[in-house]
Amino acid sequence: MNNKVTELLELDRKYVWHPFTQMRDYEDRYHVPIIRAEGMKLYDAYGNYYYDTISSWWCKVLGHNVKDIQNAMIEQMRNYEHIMFAGFTHEPAIKLAQKLIEITPRGLEHVFYSDNGSTSVEVALKIAVQYWANKGRKDKDRFVFLENGYHGDTLGAMSVSGTSQFFEPYNSLLFDSFMIPSPYCYRCKYDKAEGDCNYECLAPLRDILETNHDKIAAIIIEPLVQAAGGMIVYPVEYLDTLMKIVKQYDVLIIFDEIATGFGRTGKLFASEYLDESPDILCVSKALTNGTLPLAATIVTDEIYYAFYDDYLKGKTFFHGHTFTANAIACSAAIKTIELIEKRRLVEKLPQKLRVMNEYIEQYKDFEFVGDIRNIGTIVAFELVKNKKTKERFKKTKRISWQISLSSLNYHIILRPLGDVLYFNLPLCIEISEIKEIFSIFEKYASKEIRNICNGNC
Ligand SMILES: *Cc1c(COP(=O)(O)O)cnc(C)c1O
């Protein structure tokens, strides 16, 4: 048995290039070979299990191996799998669009499908620019984005992401955009305490809009959580204020809810916390419960009808992907949403979050835990060398890499973002699982994290 596994892993090493990975780190170790997944657990070929505490990159809101979703996919597959989506249409895509319009913020009326988060962002950016061009304002082709914002790894998405540490080699290819400060309260550049400020960090936005609104098509934002930028949870009031400022100008608002959608923040969409709706909304990740790649860019009537005209007027949105609106993926998404609703998973969250919060409270005094950020099922711990000065660990120490490897010995997955460790737990998590996972974390944090951090101070 183990010989066969090793053989396979040798082939992995020989042929496969993994994402976000320095492959040389695997010169003397293998990737973890998973052979089965069920609920919250992953099982490897050696008989170990791991709680999938990051929901397999934030997708598995309902956990793994959900029979109802699989059956919906199989049923669809027996009928047809994929139909080109120009000139043809089908029930799963239509029904899903109808459902998405029903559950997303008011004002959003039309769904454009694509395959993944990054493509849904590219679609949003192109729609925003062409919207203004179709209205005769060709100069409005720039974007505003937030420092620490992340919108994907394609060139357009990278151009409006504020996580430049990932993108350095490509800088010369990215188009110019306007960056505003991150609402990163723990490391406030204006030296204010969280909840005790006048959102001074929005002043640059006011200036940029005042001077450049004629050039700006849209602002793109991850509402309430800058996810890949370090699970930076920020106040609703900040975003309400930001939106009110932007609405004074002819500038569209794009919400990237690829990470926050489908219950993550305690509501079905983070947008529900806000006074106003965005003009464009991107969803992906949890949309199909991580069964197949699918994404949607959802827009208002106002935007849709700026493209709707005689063909020869040249207003058509010439964009599409081969797998647009894949029928099996759409069926999986319909079933995912249906199950979230039927099982009342969002409604049942507060009870679970109360249990979680009791644990989180205790971690505040932990050595090396500088900040704890929490919204919905997202819990993040920012590790610092010195809690008083908030001094960071040296990058060369690779604290996060060491922690991510050692956490597996404790049956949990801590895949850090910089020196931020996080949980992104599924909505289906049981209270007993919360208790088990957080008890493990407590044991782990008080021993392993301390050892690793201490050894690197
Ligand atoms: C993951 C993510 C993306 C990119 O999605 P992919 O499917 O990985 O291309 C974009 N925006 C946010 C907020 C994300 O979390």
Side-chain angles (χ1 to χ4, degrees):
M1 162 75 181
N2 269 2
N3 274 347
K4 245 170 125 184
V5 175
T6 308
E7 225 170 86
L8 200 61
L9 290 171
E10 282 299 335
L11 294 176
D12 181 72
R13 185 179 274 165
K14 186 163 174 207
Y15 293 118
V16 183
W17 193 345
H18 288 262
F20 302 118
T21 303
Q22 172 47 263
M23 294 304 291
R24 196 177 161 171
D25 282 342
Y26 289 83
E27 201 171 41
D28 53 7
R29 70 176 67 248
Y30 295 118
H31 280 79
V32 181
I34 296 301
I35 53 167
R36 192 161 71 82
E38 183 76 45
M40 264 207 77
K41 282 183 180 156
L42 307 178
Y43 299 87
D44 75 11
Y46 311 113
N48 305 314
Y49 69 89
Y50 311 91
Y51 279 108
D52 188 354
T53 40
I54 64 162
S55 301
S56 279
W57 268 337
W58 326 342
C59 292
K60 310 290 304 183
V61 273
L62 296 166
H64 293 270
N65 205 3
V66 181
K67 290 287 180 280
D68 286 348
I69 301 176
Q70 291 169 353
N71 288 337
M73 293 167 74
I74 290 165
E75 202 177 308
Q76 181 53 47
M77 217 182 307
R78 291 216 171 99
N79 211 354
Y80 51 89
E81 297 128 354
H82 183 66
I83 313 286
M84 70 172 120
F85 207 59
F88 297 88
T89 193
H90 49 73
E91 184 172 328
I94 299 166
K95 284 279 165 66
L96 176 59
Q98 184 186 24
K99 191 73 203 170
L100 285 170
I101 295 309
E102 185 192 312
I103 62 174
T104 50
R106 91 196 100 81
L108 298 169
E109 305 287 353
H110 307 272
V111 175
F112 193 98
Y113 289 113
S114 61
D115 319 339
N116 60 66
S118 304
T119 54
S120 76
V121 168
E122 299 288 336
V123 168
L125 300 178
K126 286 174 70 175
I127 285 178
V129 168
Q130 194 178 342
Y131 165 79
W132 291 113
N134 283 357
K135 288 176 74 104
R137 302 184 66 178
K138 286 205 165 61
D139 288 343
K140 283 172 81 68
D141 61 356
R142 299 290 114 185
F143 295 91
V144 180
F145 68 92
L146 273 66
E147 186 185 1
N148 293 319
Y150 174 82
H151 302 288
D153 282 347
T154 50
L155 287 168
M158 283 194 291
S159 300
V160 295
S161 291
T163 42
S164 49
Q165 66 272 24
F166 304 144
F167 303 148
E168 224 155 87
Y170 331 108
N171 267 342
S172 61
L173 301 180
L174 307 186
F175 57 74
D176 284 334
S177 304
F178 297 97
M179 185 168 84
I180 61 169
S182 163
Y184 191 179
C185 299
Y186 177 63
R187 296 186 183 278
C188 178
K189 284 183 180 148
Y190 301 80
D191 266 339
K192 303 281 176 185
E194 184 167 354
D196 187 22
C197 71
N198 295 309
Y199 300 111
E200 284 78 0
C201 54
L202 285 171
L205 173 67
R206 285 194 186 89
D207 294 345
I208 287 167
L209 287 175
E210 194 49 44
T211 319
N212 301 289
H213 62 93
D214 283 343
K215 299 186 198 125
I216 294 170
I219 180 167
I220 182 163
I221 307 161
E222 292 163 274
L224 303 191
V225 191
Q226 296 193 293
M231 295 295 164
I232 298 167
V233 179
Y234 63 86
V236 174
E237 200 187 342
Y238 164 88
L239 192 47
D240 273 334
T241 312
L242 178 148
M243 289 177 82
K244 283 189 188 101
I245 297 169
V246 176
K247 296 242 176 203
Q248 294 166 21
Y249 299 89
D250 281 344
V251 169
L252 300 174
I253 298 175
I254 303 169
F255 270 8
D256 174 349
E257 288 231 35
I258 293 162
T260 51
F262 303 98
R264 276 281 167 250
T265 63
K267 296 196 191 259
L268 197 55
F269 293 96
S271 312
E272 291 172 29
Y273 286 96
L274 301 162
D275 295 340
E276 311 237 25
S277 300
D279 302 291
I280 303 178
L281 180 77
C282 301
V283 294
S284 184
K285 288 204 165 94
L287 172 61
T288 62
N289 195 43
T291 51
L292 279 179
L294 182 69
T297 307
I298 312 174
V299 305
T300 57
D301 267 349
E302 165 64 25
I303 292 174
Y304 180 77
Y305 284 107
F307 292 74
Y308 194 92
D309 211 334
D310 292 338
Y311 182 81
L312 294 177
K313 294 254 180 77
K315 293 184 181 174
T316 308
F317 186 48
F318 281 111
H319 185 106
H321 298 277
T322 310
F323 283 97
T324 299
N326 177 270
I328 309 170
C330 289
S331 304
I334 294 169
K335 188 54 84 177
T336 298
I337 298 168
E338 194 183 303
L339 291 178
I340 293 174
E341 289 179 339
K342 205 167 96 190
R343 297 181 184 172
R344 300 181 53 77
L345 288 173
V346 177
E347 292 81 351
K348 285 184 186 158
L349 262 185
Q351 198 190 348
K352 298 176 182 178
L353 299 184
R354 260 195 302 279
V355 179
M356 245 164 67
N357 281 325
E358 280 167 29
Y359 284 94
I360 297 169
E361 270 308 305
Q362 302 168 29
Y363 304 150
K364 296 210 162 118
D365 299 328
F366 275 25
E367 220 180 328
F368 303 113
V369 174
D371 191 28
I372 301 182
R373 300 190 277 272
N374 167 229
I375 184 170
T377 60
I378 299 172
V379 189
F381 311 90
E382 180 161 342
L383 299 181
V384 287
K385 197 167 153 181
N386 183 323
K387 280 178 81 149
K388 252 204 205 98
T389 61
K390 304 182 182 176
E391 186 189 344
R392 292 183 160 101
F393 287 99
K394 281 209 183 74
K395 279 209 177 84
T396 48
K397 302 286 189 188
R398 299 193 72 193
I399 294 261
S400 32
W401 163 247
Q402 297 178 52
I403 287 173
S404 101
L405 288 179
S406 84
S407 68
L408 297 177
N409 299 327
Y410 284 71
H411 309 288
I412 53 176
I413 303 172
L414 286 169
R415 243 202 92 87
L417 298 160
D419 286 341
V420 176
L421 311 174
Y422 70 92
F423 288 141
N424 194 316
L425 302 165
L427 304 183
C428 67
I429 193 168
E430 301 285 346
I431 288 184
S432 58
E433 290 171 323
I434 294 178
K435 289 182 172 167
E436 168 136 19
I437 288 166
F438 280 82
S439 303
I440 291 175
F441 180 79
E442 207 166 302
K443 207 162 74 189
Y444 175 77
S446 58
K447 223 194 267 160
E448 291 284 315
I449 294 182
R450 258 179 61 196
N451 283 344
I452 291 170
C453 290
N454 258 328
N456 289 287
C457 272

